[in-house]
Structure formats: C-alpha cells, structure tokens
C-alpha cells in the first residue's frame, strides 16, 4: 500500500510537505514554509527561540512531530530524540522557493536532498551570502568541549560544519529511491531549475506538478511534462492552483518588450526591481537593456548567483556570465563606506575589509562600478534596485526624466500594502512618482491562470486529482470528475 500524508501545502498557497510512504520507503516531496501559518504567530520581532526552535515550531503547528526527521544537535538539545535511526529515505525538492524549501535547514544532515543543479546553487547562494542560512551545510549547535583549564566550554557553531547529503538529479533522467521510481521533469516557473515529479510506487503512479505555467521562457518544458503524464497512466495528480481563479496572463516576452519600450522613452536613468533569483526575469531586463544600448547593472547577490551558474559545467551559457560585456556589477558602500574615501589614509586592505568574503572578488572585476558611475552616466544604465536597498537612490540621485519599472508581484495583504506605501515614498522623494505619473508595473506570475491549469488537468488525464498550493479547490472540482480534497496532516491511500 502507498500513502501520501499532507503535512502542508493543501488549502494553502505554499508550505508543501508531502510524505509518500510506499511499503515503508518514506520520502518527502518538498519541505517548505507556509507564509500564512508562520505569519499567524511569528514576525520579524517574534521568532521561534533558537534554544527551543523545534518545540516552538511543533507547538504552533509549523513542523510535523516526526522522530528521526530533524537535525540531531537540535533534537537532542530539545529532548525530541536524536539518537534513533531515521525512517525518511529522502527529500525530493521541486525548487528553491522558500515556500517549498525553507525548512530544509531543520532536517537531519544524513537525509539526502535530491534536487536540480539550479536548486543546489540557489541554496548555496542563500548559505554563502548570509550568516544564518544552513541549507547545504549545517553548523552544529549546542556542543561543548573541555578547554585547557579543564572547564566545560561552549563550542562556537562555525567550527563544526557538517555538509548535508545533496544528490543532484539529471533533468528527465529516472532514478530510484528504494522501492520508489522517480522521474524529475523540468517545468516553467519563476526561478531556475523547477522540476515536477512522476513517482512509480508499488500501488500506482503519482505526479506532482510543482509550481508551473505556460507563459514563461520554458513553456515547452511544461508541455513535455503534461505529455509525459498523459502516457504514464497517472493514478493521482497533485495539481497546483495558485492562480486558478485568474483568467489571463501576459507572457515573459511581453515583460521584455514593454520594458524595452519604456527604456527607449527614458532620457535618464532606468531603475528596475524584480525577484532577485528569477534569472528568466533578469534575462528580460538584460535583453531589453542590450537592445536599447544600455548596460544592466546588477547587485552583488545576483552577480554571485550568476557566477555560481557560470562555474557549473551543466549550466554555463544559460544566463549571462558575471563578466558579460552588457552587464555591470554595482559595488555598494561597505561597512565603513570606504569606496569613495581617501585610500592613502585608509589603504586598499581596509577597503577590502569593508566587504564580506563572498563579495570581495567583485571589487576587482573589470565591469565593477559604483554610485559615481551611475550618477554621472544615467542614460547608459538600467539599474537594479531591490526593495531592501532603496538607500542606494540617495547616492545615484536619479535625474529628471528617469523611470522606475516595478517587476514584482502586487501586494495581496495589509502588510505588503504598508511596505509598498513606504517604497512609493522613496520614489516620490526622488521625483520618479508624481500625482500625474505612477511607476510602471510590469510583471507576470510564476503560476498558470485557470485556463492553463485546466489544460494541465485535461491533458494529464489522471484518475484522481488532489488540489495543492491553492485556496480555490472549486475550480479543480469543476474540471475533474474525481477530486479528493485533503486537509493538513491528513493522508490518502492509493
Ligand atoms: Zn514557486
């Protein structure tokens, strides 16, 4: 018998954690965070306590209470076992969006994570560019040792780094995890390396759409996945429905053309904001900048991600390399802001120390620029400015006749509205927004609309359908005759 238990990702957008149990072979598909569940109790200022994180998360219903699943340093310290063998054979990751992967750092280090090369590199980008992320390597906590004076001393986390078992699968190539056959198939979505799965179990075939659409640069991948399902005799399809209640979608190519048009009509600086890890969107801005004779200016996090992709033999050439002639890398002020200070007083070495180790090599890139270049030559650039780095506007001082293109999702709750209000204030202050002129909102979603999802449902032709990643199951029910609706923590059997 084969069961699927839904520990998240049903009647909710995100938080996917689907436990498949095939005669004792247990694998999780995704191990993500539910924004709605997490935001119900936690915020920037109220977080699970590090010393009791597992129990805090269990209490508030954010992680399932399963022995042998969580990192042993935490489990032991928080009296939740830790010495037992794990029953979980693997985690299969569809993609590296946080609603699918954010709780991986809680997992035991010896549970293998199967993912695409792209997902691995995006998680590496998370780890390397922040002190707190532990996707690929965990740093053991709560360890003690006896110091030279014979006292019990606390070990600092950084000294004991434990690499996780990351197994990169090849797109389209089948593999097995004990009794379960896995076919990872690429689909089109708003981050690189997204894979849907077809699982062959002893009781039948399960497909999981992951997050998908037909209106991006990789629509042909989604088409192939659907075709593959059609010939695979799918017993149960877990089908996303984030935008199933929406009726139409622009394409990623529309984003590129509309952006190009705005750049053409802009005298001075073009400023843009888009999802930092959506490299297909980066490509839209890169193409639009190139065709209008401008450089795309990216921030250090994007430069680092492009570097990781460029170093990968599998991915090189898919996206611009960080030294691409049409790209500039923006060096912001570091911790002391020495970039524009007199280095006979401070020294080159002091300037280097202004930056984290992952940032330093970019200082020497031939295409590195700083605010002075952007300030002087505004008509030469399309300048990426993240919502978290709006202070850069103070330095680059957009002149009259500059534009802002906002290529991000529109707010869908009060908190986001409030944040957007604040962002608007910044652009108003610098004269990019006026009573007569709004910013240019140009965005397409990573998720298919109703017609696209209906096409997935129709063409995959599964015997049973389970709505996931949605709050609108009524559409799934309208379009499939055998829909099983499940609640969080409920199981279904094949
Ligand atoms: Zn996603």
């Amino acid at each position: 018998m084969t069961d699927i238990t839904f520990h998240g990702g049903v009647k909710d957008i995100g938080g996917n954690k689907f436990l498949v149990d095939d005669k004792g072979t247990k694998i999780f598909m995704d191990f993500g965070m539910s924004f709605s569940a997490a935001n119900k109790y936690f915020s920037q200022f109220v977080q699970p306590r590090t010393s009791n994180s597992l129990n805090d998360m269990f209490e508030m219903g954010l992680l399932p209470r399963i022995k042998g699943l969580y990192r042993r340093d935490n489990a032991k310290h928080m009296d939740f076992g830790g010495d037992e063998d794990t029953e979980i054979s693997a985690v299969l990751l569809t993609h590296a969006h946080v609603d699918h992967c954010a709780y991986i750092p809680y997992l035991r280090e010896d549970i293998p994570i199967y993912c695409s090369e792209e997902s691995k590199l995006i998680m590496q980008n998370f780890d390397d560019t922040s002190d707190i992320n532990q996707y690929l390597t965990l740093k053991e906590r709560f360890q003690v040792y006896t110091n030279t004076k014979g006292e019990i001393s606390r070990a600092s986390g950084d000294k004991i780094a434990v690499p996780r078992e990351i197994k990169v699968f090849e797109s389209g190539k089948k593999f097995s995890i004990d009794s379960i056959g896995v076919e990872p198939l690429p689909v089109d979505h708003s981050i690189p390396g997204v894979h849907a799965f077809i699982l062959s179990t002893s009781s039948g075939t399960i497909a999981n759409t992951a997050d998908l659409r037909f209106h991006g640069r990789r629509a042909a991948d989604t088409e192939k996945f659907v075709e593959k399902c059609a010939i695979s005799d799918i017993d149960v399809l877990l089908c996303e429905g984030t935008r199933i209640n929406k009726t139409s979608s622009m394409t990623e190519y529309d984003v590129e053309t509309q952006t190009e048009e705005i750049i053409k009509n802009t005298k001075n600086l073009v400023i843009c904001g888009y999802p930092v890890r959506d490299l297909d969107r980066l490509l839209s801005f890169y193409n639009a900048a190139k065709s209008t004779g401008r450089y795309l200016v990216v921030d250090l996090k994007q430069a680092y991600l492009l570097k990781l992709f460029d170093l990968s033999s599998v991915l090189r050439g898919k996206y611009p390399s960080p030294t691409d002639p049409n790209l500039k890398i923006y060096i912001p002020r570091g911790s002391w802001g020495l970039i524009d200070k007199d280095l006979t007083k401070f020294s080159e070495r002091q300037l280097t120390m202004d930056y984290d180790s992952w940032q330093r090599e970019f200082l020497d890139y031939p295409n590195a620029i700083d605010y002075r270049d952007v300030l002087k030559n505004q008509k030469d650039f399309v300048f990426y400015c993240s919502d978290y780095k709006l202070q850069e506007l103070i330095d680059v001082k957009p002149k009259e006749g500059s534009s802002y293109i906002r290529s991000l999702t529109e707010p869908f709750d009060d908190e986001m509205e409030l944040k957007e209000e604040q962002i608007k204030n910044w652009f108003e202050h610098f004269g990019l927004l006026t009573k007569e002129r709004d910013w240019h909102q140009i965005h397409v979603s990573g998720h298919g609309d109703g017609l696209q999802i209906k096409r997935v449902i129709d063409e995959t032709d599964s015997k049973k359908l389970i709505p996931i990643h949605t709050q609108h199951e009524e559409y799934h029910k309208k379009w499939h005759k055998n829909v099983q609706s499940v609640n969080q923590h409920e199981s279904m059997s094949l």
Side-chain angles (χ1 to χ4, degrees):
M1 197 165 80
T2 306
D3 298 318
I4 313 172
T5 308
F6 296 84
H7 287 291
V10 284
K11 298 191 166 69
D12 191 5
I13 293 177
N16 291 22
K17 291 178 218 69
F18 309 138
L19 179 60
V20 179
D21 181 349
D22 181 44
K23 294 190 304 187
T25 299
K26 296 183 183 179
I27 59 174
F28 263 103
M29 282 194 282
D30 290 337
F31 208 69
M33 171 174 79
S34 157
F35 287 113
S36 59
N39 289 341
K40 196 167 166 190
Y41 303 108
F42 294 112
S43 65
Q44 193 187 344
F45 305 106
V46 184
Q47 288 284 324
R49 297 161 294 176
T50 308
S51 62
N52 200 47
S53 57
L54 283 179
N55 295 316
D56 289 4
M57 299 283 279
F58 295 154
E59 175 66 32
M60 307 326 278
L62 301 179
L63 286 175
R65 282 179 214 259
I66 297 174
K67 285 265 167 76
L69 180 58
Y70 299 104
R71 38 191 290 180
R72 279 176 280 194
D73 54 349
N74 281 353
K76 284 182 193 169
H77 195 71
M78 296 164 206
D79 301 320
F80 190 68
D83 286 320
E84 66 284 317
D85 287 335
T86 185
E87 291 182 359
I88 309 296
S89 300
V91 172
L92 282 177
L93 181 65
T94 59
H95 64 297
H97 271 153
V98 288
D99 55 334
H100 296 256
C101 74
Y103 292 155
I104 285 178
Y106 284 96
L107 292 172
R108 232 168 108 134
E109 53 278 20
D110 56 348
I111 297 176
I113 312 287
Y114 289 77
C115 64
S116 64
E117 173 86 351
E118 292 93 332
S119 296
K120 184 188 89 177
L121 297 181
I122 293 163
M123 291 191 286
Q124 187 181 338
N125 197 51
F126 279 131
D127 282 2
D128 292 352
T129 63
S130 121
D131 291 336
I132 50 169
N133 287 323
Q134 302 188 11
Y135 284 95
L136 303 189
T137 307
L138 63 85
K139 291 164 188 164
E140 277 193 336
R141 289 187 174 128
F142 315 118
Q143 310 295 309
V144 292
Y145 69 100
T146 309
N147 69 15
T148 46
K149 289 185 216 153
E151 299 158 339
I152 300 291
S153 203
R154 294 178 184 203
S156 118
D158 289 37
K159 290 187 186 129
I160 327 150
V162 188
R164 226 173 254 292
E165 221 184 301
I166 303 290
K167 301 206 179 238
V168 173
F169 53 65
E170 219 180 290
S171 229
K173 199 169 162 204
K174 289 184 195 173
F175 58 93
S176 304
I177 300 169
D178 300 331
S179 67
I180 301 177
V182 182
E183 192 172 6
L185 296 158
V187 289
D188 184 25
H189 183 47
S190 48
I191 193 168
V194 185
H195 283 73
F197 295 117
I198 298 180
L199 305 184
S200 308
T201 73
S202 57
S203 317
T205 314
I206 303 164
N208 174 358
T209 61
D211 290 351
L212 50 64
R213 65 179 176 186
F214 289 99
H215 57 257
R217 295 180 182 277
R218 281 149 232 292
D221 286 341
T222 307
E223 277 159 22
K224 270 187 230 148
F225 162 67
V226 171
E227 281 165 25
K228 199 73 206 232
C229 285
I231 57 168
S232 301
D233 198 18
I234 303 295
D235 292 292
V236 180
L237 175 69
L238 314 184
C239 183
E240 80 120 319
T242 316
R243 290 180 67 245
I244 200 165
N245 57 331
K246 299 284 190 298
T247 50
S248 70
S249 312
M250 286 199 328
T251 70
E252 189 61 43
Y253 302 103
D254 296 329
V255 172
E256 186 179 319
T257 347
Q258 293 185 12
T259 299
E260 204 182 304
E261 213 42 48
I262 290 161
I263 301 175
K264 274 187 201 156
N265 293 319
T266 301
K267 277 202 314 254
N268 277 312
L269 188 61
V270 175
I271 302 168
C272 61
Y274 53 83
V276 59
R277 282 170 286 274
D278 184 352
L279 295 186
D280 283 356
R281 181 61 47 81
L282 179 144
L283 212 51
S284 297
F285 280 87
Y286 169 88
N287 290 341
K290 192 174 165 184
S291 74
T292 50
R294 294 198 187 215
Y295 299 102
L296 176 64
V297 184
V298 298
D299 71 359
L300 289 173
K301 275 197 179 172
Q302 285 188 355
Y304 190 75
L305 187 60
L306 291 176
K307 184 191 101 167
L308 293 179
F309 273 58
D310 196 50
L311 288 173
S312 155
S313 59
V314 192
L315 301 174
R316 185 173 309 129
K318 282 197 168 185
Y319 297 101
S321 99
T323 51
D324 185 286
N326 300 106
L327 213 62
K328 298 282 181 194
I329 297 171
Y330 184 77
I331 312 290
R333 292 176 197 267
S335 52
W336 274 41
L338 298 187
I339 199 156
D340 59 358
K341 301 279 184 285
D342 178 5
L343 289 189
T344 54
K345 188 174 157 202
F346 288 105
S347 88
E348 281 288 337
R349 190 178 152 268
Q350 290 297 320
L351 173 66
T352 313
M353 283 170 63
D354 245 6
Y355 297 91
D356 291 339
S357 54
W358 67 272
Q359 299 174 319
R360 284 177 194 162
E361 68 165 288
F362 297 110
L363 294 171
D364 299 324
Y365 272 39
N367 58 339
I369 61 169
D370 62 49
Y371 75 89
R372 289 166 295 188
D373 304 280
V374 184
L375 177 69
K376 256 193 299 194
N377 306 303
Q378 304 216 335
K379 60 175 188 350
D380 292 345
F381 301 115
V382 174
F383 177 71
Y384 170 81
C385 183
S386 129
D387 284 356
Y388 306 99
K389 295 273 157 37
L390 295 165
Q391 306 94 314
E392 298 306 327
L393 296 175
I394 298 171
D395 291 342
V396 304
K397 297 192 192 346
K399 292 186 184 130
E400 204 200 323
S402 298
S403 326
Y404 176 52
I405 304 173
R406 190 164 175 82
S407 196
L408 291 154
T409 185
E410 291 186 60
F412 49 78
D413 59 35
D414 295 346
E415 203 181 325
M416 286 173 85
E417 297 264 4
L418 208 69
K419 200 182 125 202
E420 196 176 88
E421 223 15 73
Q422 199 179 51
I423 297 163
K424 283 207 157 156
N425 293 339
W426 278 87
F427 287 99
E428 256 169 43
H429 179 88
F430 288 100
L432 286 121
L433 294 186
T434 57
K435 277 200 190 68
E436 299 77 43
R437 196 167 64 126
D438 203 353
W439 58 37
H440 304 278
Q441 171 75 29
I442 307 179
H443 176 67
V444 294
S445 166
H447 302 274
D449 56 49
L451 281 178
Q452 295 181 28
I453 301 300
K454 182 173 187 302
R455 178 173 167 196
V456 173
I457 294 171
D458 288 346
E459 293 180 16
T460 48
D461 196 25
S462 64
K463 296 191 186 76
K464 184 182 269 192
L465 187 71
I466 296 182
I468 57 165
H469 212 276
T470 190
Q471 284 167 329
H472 292 282
E473 299 189 347
E474 65 274 18
Y475 289 87
H476 293 85
K477 286 174 186 158
K478 198 158 69 179
W479 293 331
H480 194 287
K481 57 185 184 315
N482 187 17
V483 172
Q484 183 170 346
S485 166
V486 288
N487 294 311
Q488 198 187 357
H489 302 306
E490 271 178 17
S491 300
M492 63 90 55
S493 300
L494 258 74

